[in-house]
Amino acid sequence: MEVTQVLLNAQSIDGTVRKNAEESLKQFQEQNLPGFLLSLSGELANEEKPVETRKLAGLILKNALDAKEEHRKFELVQRWLSLDGNAKSQIKASLLTTLSSIVSDARSTASQAIAKVAGIELPQKQWPELIGSLLSNVNQQPAHAKQATLETLGYLCEEVPPNVIDQDQVNKILTAVVQGMSASEVNTDVRLAATRALYNAIGFAQANFINDMERDYLMRVVCEATLSPESRIRQAAFECLVSISSTYYEKLAAYIQDIFNITVKAVREDEEPVALQAIEFWSSICDEEIDILEEFGVEFTGDSDITCFYFIKQALPALVPMLLETLLKQEEDQDQDEGAWNIAMAGGTCLGLVARTVGDDIVPFVVPFIEENIQKPDWRQREAATYAFGSILEGPSPEKLIPLVNVALNFMLSALTKDPSSHVKDTTAWALGRIFEFLHGSAVGSTVITQENCQQLVTVLLQSMNDTPNVAEKACGALYFLAQGYEEVGPSSPLTPFFQEIVQSLLSVTHREDAGESRLRTAAYETLNEVVRCSTDETAPLVLQLVPVIMMELHNTLEGQNLSSDGREKQSELQGLLCGCLQVIIQKLGSSEPTKYVLMQFADQVMGLFLRVFACRSATVHEEAMLAIGALAYATGPDFAKYMPEFYRYLETGLQNFEEYQVCAVTVGVVGDICRALEEKIVPYCDGIMTQLLKNLSSNQLNRSVKPPIFSCFGDIALAVGEYFEKYLMWAMSALQSAAELSTHTTGDDELIEYINTLRNGILEAYSGIFQGFKNSPKTQLLIPYAPHILQFLDGIYMEKDMDDVVMKTAIGVLGDLADTLGSHAASLIQQSVSSKDFLNECLSSEDVMIKESAEWAKLAISRAISV
């Protein structure tokens, strides 16, 4: 097979030629993988072949080694490891030769492919000579081979976990990289590749950052690179500083003054990509200090294991003026462009982080800037002053901010309606939203919103909803937080008199011709949902009037036939918004008896609409319609059974949707809602549901985040059907046991520990539902054989000492459920259990009310079981 021609055809503009070529490549790969990969690596290494086929060959080769989805990646890794050793050696040799090719695209693709192979082989203790041969390449000329080798070392550090490479080799890699970065390196491409490689290697340099001399040297080289004549090198060097600031915060004190000087120079004088990274350095320092101060709270002392150096507090007098200057460098069209990011936005974001880091101390540095610029004729100055004000509203105390807001509020309302600049209006509406978000509501003692100014606020916001889409979207956002602040005000809300008008205005926004711009339609529905969610009983009749209105809108989306794919996407997005809106309305009206009674008169029609939405068959809609059906089931109760024959097939489809795992997770949650609504009436559907759930658990293709809710769902089903759960007990308990073992012997990063806790909680909720479901039934004794394992699981998670409060509460509850359901059968087991006594005592003395209540109950259940 002439692979060059096929690779050229695969890039042809003629669709048929392209399709045939892709088919041939696919067949070749399936029939003879070693031959396929060898011919690709040969193509990539052959200097006489066209650039475009070499590049594509390398790309296909790289994609044969890695994939985004975990299960696919696992398959590819296994496939590579099981290839014939000779074929692998030849492929690797071809890749290494390509690093000295004169064609830069070929070199770059080979770099990435080598790193992918290294990511598979080095952890398996294979290809031990790789790093040695790359390092000997670095010292060879020509420059382009040196550049490609440094690039490869960088990618390699990205692909391989730090513990795989021993310290001696790490030192050699760092030495090579730092030499390539030094100012004595004349070739720009080499210096750039080395600087980018260091960025990826920073996580490997733990030992080197502990050693003062090595650290000084590394920091000096990075700081020198920020002064390189080539802007891409300066940018890459600042990226290294950002990474160092978050990885080695505690080692920065000696360098912070020098770094401050070079960042200020970059922010004031350098090109934007470089300046953005220089600002990012300070944002990163803020993130570190916010984390440290939050973790240790107010009682932060010098003897904690991580010290806070208060870099931001010390830098305030110089840092804040530099950030305020950046706010004046806005771009003309940044409000319309959703992905916009520029120096003014970066400066404002950093200013907001500084405010969260130092609190009240920032205010005196910013107020003079606001006062000086807020009334200037140039829109840039007015907008920058407003942006500065909005940025510091989170962090400082309400006592410090409310007096300022009281002075500014009327001015801002007038700017929102009268300022000639759309930029200023946009930022003003955003800043009002921030005022309502942080300084309004039951949590804040005094409030900026009074009976007197509430009407004026609403009037101005509703008026701004007719402004350009970007301003209208920010006005919706402000109204969202205004409504949210009145969530717990009791029987009457200050917004009640304006409820009808607010709802009307939001609905008319959703019908604007330009509502597709600036996320406006979505923002209007989100705000409408929040206004409904936070409304009081007084406005319930008005919420009821909304039901037929939104139903009609949803009905209209179902009428459009033969849409283009773009039209279908828009239709499905709108259906999602309307289903979301109905969900909130159903939850609101379903929460009190009188309104629930009226709502139920619409139930058949609403359910009919949801089923028609499912029939449109688009996964995004499924999610919102599924959630809305969950809310409807909860409100309808046992009567929901009449919808099950028609709804069940969509429920099954949702449970089978592995690809869009969020849809699967949402569906699992809805099964729980339906169990609570139907109780024993769910029995006819249990076989199908349990079979699918067990299948999902055993699949390695389903995203792991769906597994904890599936376990909780076992508990919901058992609680609903009681002893009927017997026919699934063996399967469910076996799945729970293997997951329980998995979740007690793990060490890992924060993300893994968080997942393990979610998993434990799901398992415990299942046990709890099963015990409660079998309580008082003659079949209780079926559970006795499982009790020792469950107690062992509780011991295991207690011993590991890494459970969060949620797990603690559920776990102590399960101990109580076990004693409560099994009675005297459980007594001796609990008394023999290693840690249940300590665990119970720890929970009884917990400061968390929920944990304490659970523990009191468990103590009672255990003492009852023991005394029988």
Side-chain angles (χ1 to χ4, degrees):
M1 169 172 177
E2 174 48 43
V3 81
T4 310
Q5 192 53 52
V6 181
L7 288 165
L8 281 172
N9 291 350
Q11 304 177 63
S12 158
I13 41 177
D14 178 337
T16 324
V17 176
R18 198 169 59 239
K19 207 167 165 34
N20 289 339
E22 285 166 1
E23 263 313 299
S24 314
L25 288 168
K26 197 172 161 206
Q27 274 179 337
F28 186 9
Q29 180 169 5
E30 283 162 7
Q31 287 159 9
N32 177 3
L33 185 67
F36 177 68
L37 297 176
L38 274 167
S39 63
L40 290 173
S41 60
E43 184 80 17
L44 175 62
N46 188 335
E47 291 288 82
E48 284 159 17
K49 298 290 185 183
V51 179
E52 53 273 22
T53 65
R54 295 177 69 185
K55 193 175 169 183
L56 183 60
L59 193 65
I60 297 172
L61 178 60
K62 177 176 82 96
N63 292 340
L65 300 167
D66 193 16
K68 279 200 175 69
E69 298 82 28
E70 281 301 314
H71 65 97
R72 179 87 185 110
K73 183 175 182 160
F74 180 75
E75 280 167 27
L76 294 174
V77 167
Q78 295 310 318
R79 225 169 56 175
W80 172 263
L81 290 171
S82 59
L83 277 186
D84 165 64
N86 284 337
K88 280 193 290 200
S89 301
Q90 276 178 273
I91 293 168
K92 294 189 293 198
S94 294
L95 289 171
L96 286 168
T97 343
T98 313
L99 291 181
S100 47
S101 162
I102 47 176
V103 177
S104 71
D105 276 344
R107 294 197 303 272
S108 181
T109 314
S111 290
Q112 294 171 43
I114 292 169
K116 293 292 181 197
V117 176
I120 297 173
E121 294 201 351
L122 294 184
Q124 304 284 337
K125 305 270 183 280
Q126 298 176 12
W127 210 2
E129 68 283 9
L130 168 67
I131 292 176
S133 62
L134 287 172
L135 290 168
S136 65
N137 255 5
V138 173
N139 304 321
Q140 310 288 317
Q141 290 302 345
H144 66 257
K146 195 169 176 178
Q147 173 266 330
T149 308
L150 286 163
E151 191 177 334
T152 310
L153 286 168
Y155 287 137
L156 184 130
C157 291
E158 200 174 10
E159 293 291 336
V160 179
N163 55 358
V164 169
I165 302 179
D166 64 51
Q167 190 55 44
D168 179 47
Q169 284 196 312
V170 169
N171 293 342
K172 288 178 178 160
I173 292 175
L174 287 170
T175 305
V177 166
V178 168
Q179 274 170 356
M181 280 177 73
S182 71
S184 59
E185 173 57 63
V186 286
N187 183 299
T188 307
D189 292 337
V190 171
R191 199 173 174 195
L192 178 61
T195 311
R196 287 181 176 162
L198 181 67
Y199 175 80
N200 286 329
I202 282 167
F204 288 74
Q206 303 273 331
N208 313 83
F209 264 83
I210 292 168
N211 177 316
D212 294 354
M213 273 175 62
E214 292 182 24
R215 183 177 66 245
D216 285 347
Y217 181 55
L218 276 164
M219 292 300 291
R220 193 174 80 236
V221 171
V222 175
C223 290
E224 279 171 7
T226 64
L227 307 171
S228 155
E230 165 61 49
S231 71
R232 289 173 308 163
I233 294 175
R234 297 197 298 277
Q235 182 185 343
F238 276 113
E239 284 169 6
C240 289
L241 282 177
V242 172
S243 176
I244 290 168
S245 70
S246 61
T247 318
Y248 304 110
Y249 167 85
E250 68 288 355
K251 300 281 179 214
L252 285 177
Y255 316 102
I256 202 82
Q257 186 58 54
D258 291 339
I259 295 174
F260 181 78
N261 297 339
I262 54 181
T263 50
V264 169
K265 189 170 162 43
V267 171
R268 289 194 171 137
E269 298 164 22
D270 213 328
E271 294 167 33
E272 186 171 88
V274 183
L276 286 173
Q277 288 304 321
I279 295 172
E280 187 57 36
F281 173 84
W282 292 102
S283 292
S284 172
I285 294 284
C286 288
D287 285 333
E288 290 305 306
E289 296 196 344
I290 289 169
D291 281 350
I292 295 170
L293 297 169
E294 268 178 8
E295 196 166 329
F296 298 107
V298 189
E299 68 280 11
F300 176 76
T301 51
D303 57 6
S304 7
D305 48 353
I306 308 173
T307 321
C308 181
F309 288 99
Y310 297 103
F311 291 139
I312 299 294
K313 200 172 185 163
Q314 289 161 26
L316 273 180
L319 180 61
V320 174
M322 166 187 91
L323 293 172
L324 291 170
E325 277 171 39
T326 65
L327 302 186
L328 294 158
K329 298 182 181 174
Q330 309 94 323
E331 283 173 8
E332 288 289 345
D333 56 355
Q334 65 184 46
D335 299 333
Q336 276 75 25
D337 173 10
E338 277 193 36
W341 185 247
N342 56 43
I343 194 160
M345 296 166 91
T349 303
C350 187
L351 191 65
L353 288 166
V354 171
R356 285 176 52 201
T357 312
V358 302
D360 290 358
D361 294 350
I362 194 172
V363 177
F365 292 104
V366 178
V367 168
F369 177 82
I370 300 172
E371 288 172 341
E372 186 186 334
N373 290 290
I374 196 79
Q375 290 180 305
K376 284 285 184 2
D378 179 357
W379 72 266
R380 287 178 183 282
Q381 288 172 287
R382 299 197 303 280
E383 194 275 338
T386 313
Y387 191 13
F389 186 47
S391 298
I392 61 165
L393 292 168
E394 183 187 8
S397 62
E399 295 71 43
K400 190 87 175 165
L401 292 173
I402 286 177
L404 296 176
V405 173
N406 286 334
V407 172
L409 201 56
N410 278 339
F411 185 86
M412 290 170 80
L413 291 176
S414 125
L416 186 52
T417 44
K418 302 197 180 87
D419 197 293
S421 156
S422 171
H423 287 283
V424 176
K425 289 181 181 176
D426 181 300
T427 307
T428 303
W430 167 79
L432 281 169
R434 303 253 306 168
I435 291 174
F436 304 151
E437 183 178 0
F438 300 112
L439 299 171
H440 156 60
S442 52
V444 186
S446 53
T447 176
V448 287
I449 301 166
T450 58
Q451 291 297 140
E452 293 74 52
N453 65 11
C454 188
Q455 178 168 7
Q456 187 196 1
L457 280 172
V458 173
T459 310
V460 169
L461 290 176
L462 296 187
Q463 192 180 330
S464 297
M465 283 185 209
N466 302 318
D467 211 313
T468 55
N470 55 303
V471 175
E473 188 264 336
K474 301 282 194 314
C476 287
L479 187 56
Y480 175 99
F481 288 114
L482 181 63
Q484 195 178 69
Y486 289 126
E487 189 178 349
E488 293 159 9
V489 285
S492 175
S493 158
L495 290 184
T496 298
F498 318 112
F499 187 84
Q500 184 86 15
E501 195 186 344
I502 290 173
V503 170
Q504 273 329 114
S505 304
L506 287 165
L507 286 172
S508 39
V509 169
T510 66
H511 293 138
R512 277 175 57 158
E513 288 291 318
D514 54 5
E517 294 169 36
S518 298
R519 277 188 73 257
L520 177 55
R521 183 175 288 113
T522 307
Y525 277 115
E526 282 170 357
T527 303
L528 178 60
N529 294 350
E530 198 62 8
V531 168
V532 168
R533 200 178 65 76
C534 301
S535 62
T536 58
D537 292 345
E538 297 175 298
T539 45
L542 298 172
V543 177
L544 269 167
Q545 288 172 19
L546 253 182
V547 180
V549 175
I550 304 291
M551 278 170 59
M552 194 63 208
E553 301 258 336
L554 186 53
H555 174 80
N556 293 341
T557 67
L558 295 161
E559 296 305 296
Q561 296 307 317
N562 310 330
L563 296 163
S564 65
S565 68
D566 185 40
R568 257 204 308 281
E569 199 175 316
K570 287 203 167 82
Q571 170 202 40
S572 129
E573 192 182 332
L574 182 55
Q575 286 171 348
L577 293 169
L578 291 162
C579 289
C581 185
L582 281 168
Q583 180 195 348
V584 173
I585 294 173
I586 292 166
Q587 284 166 334
K588 187 72 191 175
L589 297 172
S591 62
S592 83
E593 285 306 318
T595 49
K596 183 152 106 180
Y597 176 73
V598 189
L599 173 69
M600 282 307 115
Q601 297 168 3
F602 294 105
D604 289 359
Q605 287 166 281
V606 172
M607 189 66 189
L609 284 169
F610 292 153
L611 291 171
R612 284 185 63 192
V613 169
F614 279 131
C616 294
R617 221 10 255 142
S618 142
T620 51
V621 159
H622 266 88
E623 203 171 324
E624 284 85 13
M626 198 49 95
L627 286 164
I629 285 177
L632 187 65
Y634 188 78
T636 317
D639 289 346
F640 189 82
K642 63 180 175 185
Y643 305 125
M644 283 302 286
E646 206 181 334
F647 171 54
Y648 178 70
R649 60 189 170 136
Y650 297 116
L651 194 67
E652 206 161 42
T653 313
L655 292 176
Q656 289 161 354
N657 195 339
F658 286 6
E659 291 307 302
E660 286 141 329
Y661 64 89
Q662 296 92 332
V663 176
C664 187
V666 161
T667 310
V668 170
V670 170
V671 171
D673 292 334
I674 292 174
C675 287
R676 284 184 281 280
L678 294 186
E679 294 183 327
E680 68 286 351
K681 286 187 178 176
I682 188 94
V683 167
Y685 304 97
C686 276
D687 282 4
I689 291 172
M690 282 300 294
T691 306
Q692 192 55 51
L693 292 178
L694 288 161
K695 206 188 254 176
N696 287 13
L697 284 174
S698 62
S699 152
N700 61 355
Q701 291 180 13
L702 184 62
N703 186 292
R704 69 178 189 183
S705 65
V706 188
K707 297 195 173 175
I710 289 178
F711 288 127
S712 309
C713 192
F714 284 176
D716 295 329
I717 294 171
L719 202 52
V721 302
E723 61 179 54
Y724 181 80
F725 195 77
E726 177 193 352
K727 66 189 284 193
Y728 316 116
L729 192 61
M730 194 172 90
W731 309 105
M733 284 300 200
S734 150
L736 285 161
Q737 275 184 16
S738 44
E741 277 155 27
L742 187 84
S743 80
T744 40
H745 305 292
T746 40
T747 47
D749 53 9
D750 292 350
E751 198 181 322
L752 182 68
I753 291 187
E754 192 179 323
Y755 170 71
I756 289 293
N757 272 316
T758 320
L759 181 63
R760 289 169 179 171
N761 198 54
I763 296 167
L764 292 162
E765 285 181 342
Y767 286 145
S768 176
I770 291 169
F771 279 126
Q772 291 176 32
F774 275 86
K775 194 186 170 190
N776 300 333
S777 121
K779 297 192 173 168
T780 311
Q781 77 279 3
L782 293 172
L783 300 178
I784 297 169
Y786 301 108
H789 178 272
I790 293 171
L791 287 164
Q792 209 180 328
F793 174 50
L794 291 171
D795 281 339
I797 49 183
Y798 177 68
M799 297 299 189
E800 290 215 359
K801 297 288 179 222
D802 58 1
M803 59 174 148
D804 57 26
D805 287 354
V806 180
V807 173
M808 200 173 216
K809 176 187 170 297
T810 323
I812 201 67
V814 166
L815 188 63
D817 287 328
L818 187 139
D820 187 40
T821 299
L822 299 182
S824 56
H825 298 292
S828 60
L829 290 170
I830 291 177
Q831 284 166 313
Q832 288 157 26
S833 140
V834 190
S835 60
S836 55
K837 198 169 183 179
D838 298 346
F839 185 28
L840 185 63
N841 289 332
E842 194 174 310
C843 292
L844 284 167
S845 57
S846 165
E847 289 177 8
D848 184 311
V849 184
M850 309 282 280
I851 294 177
K852 208 172 166 150
E853 274 179 17
S854 268
E856 300 281 0
W857 179 81
K859 184 181 173 182
L860 190 69
I862 293 168
S863 60
R864 274 205 304 262
I866 291 172
S867 65
V868 171

